[in-house]
Amino acid sequence: MPISFDTTGFHQIDQNTWQHRNGDQVRLTYHGVVPDLPAGLDDLPELRHGLALVHGETGCLVEAHVVQLGGTPALLRIIKMPLPDQPNGQVFVASFTVPKERSSAVLLLVAPERGMTGAREAVLAAEIGFENWVRPHPYAPELEGVLPFHAGDDPRYDPRFPDHPLTRVRAWAHHVVRTAQVDPGFASLPPFRVQAPPPPVEPGQTLSTALPSLPVKDFIGLRIGERTTYWRMTDPKLAEVLGRGLMGRSPLAETRFRDMLLIDVETGDAMIPDRFTTNGQMTAHSTRLQQVTLQEADAALSDDDVMDAFKWAGRMCGAAAERGEFLSLEPIENDGEQADPHVLLAVQPHEGRQVVIAQFSPPPSGGPLAGATSRTAPATAESVEGIGVLAGLAVNEWRSHPLKMAITYRR
């Protein structure tokens, strides 16, 4: 792994996971894709603004800084989110991302509240005054996120609450900055840069909103209005950003979203809008697609291509978990509220460890998953890919072509 760190006080659970005796977990992952950051490390104000908006969708960005890990620039962020499936409580995460041109390494600590929750907030709110408690987010004053930015998260209060998870993740982060190292080979890779926007749309060109299917090899389905068409990707740009939370989104329902792009169906010229702004301006990337029939695409695909597509869906579930989201794999025409058939794919904490979950609706009636409503396993790189494979088994049971399936983000 590209990052080495001090594991004193932790015991190793698997290749990429360590657990402290207090239950906090460290995870170290490598992502061989373009980093999903709204700006480069050299533009901290825009990076902070974009990250505040991202994490505001599922919780709150407490702070973000560019730091050095053994001389290599890294992004440190501390976020808070509601405890999954709990009426009260929060989970705090400190993460270090070392972004490169086409890959990244992430080291993070997950620290949930346990027992009686909200004690720090209750004590400090009474002292500070409820009228002064909630404050505009310093990185994005216009933001109204899922969790508020409030005075009680200020680090000056950490010494008074040494066992609080926010105190723990901050203390761990400070220790990592002092002690961690980055592999020299990884450190020397080209740095991450935000690409320049594409040239403007040609005069008279008409672009339609399109919602993509699961990509399979070089092929993709696009839902344009009430019609689904099929296309071959002529360059890697679309595949590099699909499923990673980087593209502009189209809402299907209050908590359901899909990636979206804009396409000229006559020429195949397409624009991939960024999900975030750069210097207050929306940017996009150009690509070109070539229309094909479903039969032409199917004839060019092997069983291994289809298997790789579902493994990719599993990995995108793992990436979504880092944003506080999970995925639904479903027919592309399911463009409103959740409907059957579908598979929910998630990575979530359960009893002190991360697990992968696949939930089937309806349960498959045949094959190795016959009658199963769900499958779970401890979260590893292999099991995260594996739940994508399980989703593929369900799709095969439904007799649906993978190019007719789509990924929907869920919160």
Side-chain angles (χ1 to χ4, degrees):
M1 278 293 183
I3 304 174
S4 58
F5 65 100
D6 183 8
T7 60
T8 302
F10 291 84
H11 70 273
Q12 191 163 5
I13 296 177
D14 57 41
Q15 183 178 0
N16 303 316
T17 309
W18 293 258
Q19 185 160 333
H20 196 271
R21 55 182 171 269
N22 64 12
D24 295 348
Q25 273 196 4
V26 168
R27 297 203 299 272
L28 177 59
T29 55
Y30 169 81
H31 303 278
V33 297
V34 177
D36 57 346
L37 297 178
L41 300 190
D42 56 350
D43 188 358
L44 185 56
E46 184 61 30
L47 181 60
R48 283 172 161 171
H49 182 267
L51 291 173
L53 299 182
V54 172
H55 295 298
E57 295 180 357
T58 54
C60 179
L61 175 68
V62 177
E63 57 188 88
H65 312 278
V66 174
V67 299
Q68 299 286 321
L69 296 185
T72 301
L75 168 66
L76 164 63
R77 51 186 145 172
I78 295 176
I79 63 174
K80 59 182 179 180
M81 296 179 290
L83 275 171
D85 304 319
Q86 299 292 330
N88 301 298
Q90 299 176 126
V91 58
F92 292 82
V93 179
S95 71
F96 293 89
T97 301
V98 181
K100 294 299 178 180
E101 185 178 46
R102 294 185 176 274
S103 61
S104 63
V106 178
L107 175 67
L108 61 82
L109 176 74
V110 179
E113 284 189 299
R114 296 182 178 87
M116 185 178 68
T117 62
R120 173 173 175 153
E121 291 77 7
V123 170
L124 293 176
E127 294 178 3
I128 296 168
F130 294 99
E131 68 280 5
N132 300 316
W133 183 248
V134 176
R135 299 178 178 180
H137 200 289
Y139 305 154
E142 75 280 12
L143 174 65
E144 294 184 9
V146 169
L147 291 178
F149 184 89
H150 61 64
D153 290 336
D154 193 297
R156 77 182 75 176
Y157 302 117
D158 287 357
R160 294 177 55 188
F161 302 91
D163 296 325
H164 191 271
L166 177 55
T167 303
R168 299 200 302 267
V169 299
R170 277 204 183 104
W172 177 81
H174 294 164
H175 182 67
V176 168
V177 170
R178 295 192 302 269
T179 60
Q181 297 291 324
V182 178
D183 178 82
F186 186 78
S188 65
L189 292 175
F192 168 70
R193 304 286 185 193
V194 176
Q195 296 191 6
V201 177
E202 295 294 330
Q205 197 170 21
T206 300
L207 299 179
S208 301
T209 300
L211 308 186
S213 75
L214 181 76
V216 187
K217 196 180 178 181
D218 297 330
F219 297 95
I220 195 163
L222 294 181
R223 186 73 172 174
I224 305 173
E226 297 299 314
R227 183 167 170 250
T228 303
T229 53
Y230 303 93
W231 304 78
R232 183 174 68 84
M233 297 176 279
T234 63
D235 60 60
K237 186 58 199 175
L238 182 56
E240 288 175 350
V241 295
L242 273 170
R244 297 179 174 90
L246 298 173
M247 297 173 60
R249 291 186 171 187
S250 178
L252 305 185
E254 184 177 356
T255 60
R256 285 167 44 81
F257 305 85
R258 283 205 190 132
D259 287 334
M260 71 91 162
L261 65 151
L262 303 170
I263 187 169
D264 183 335
V265 294
E266 299 297 325
T267 66
D269 292 331
M271 296 181 66
I272 308 168
D274 284 332
R275 187 177 168 201
F276 313 107
T277 62
T278 299
N279 296 325
Q281 301 296 316
M282 180 61 68
T283 58
H285 309 276
S286 59
T287 189
R288 174 164 288 186
L289 307 178
Q290 181 182 16
Q291 191 165 8
V292 298
T293 65
L294 180 58
Q295 291 74 22
E296 290 171 332
D298 188 66
L301 299 176
S302 67
D303 290 343
D304 286 344
D305 295 329
V306 174
M307 179 69 73
D308 288 343
F310 286 110
K311 288 180 178 178
W312 173 88
R315 294 195 300 273
M316 293 308 98
C317 173
E322 296 181 6
R323 305 189 299 269
E325 297 180 320
F326 59 99
L327 303 181
S328 173
L329 186 63
E330 57 191 39
I332 197 169
E333 64 266 18
N334 286 10
D335 56 3
E337 296 290 349
Q338 184 72 77
D340 289 344
H342 67 270
V343 185
L344 295 182
L345 303 177
V347 180
Q348 293 183 331
H350 178 70
E351 296 182 350
R353 66 187 309 176
Q354 294 292 111
V355 297
V356 295
I357 304 168
Q359 294 182 344
F360 312 101
S361 183
S365 59
L369 298 174
T373 58
S374 67
R375 286 286 191 270
T376 63
T380 65
E382 292 76 15
S383 65
V384 168
E385 277 197 352
I387 60 168
V389 175
L390 294 182
L393 294 176
V395 171
N396 184 64
E397 172 70 20
W398 300 332
R399 301 293 188 266
S400 182
H401 196 283
L403 288 173
K404 293 184 177 182
M405 304 299 293
I407 280 179
T408 300
Y409 304 108
R410 297 284 304 274
R411 296 179 188 156

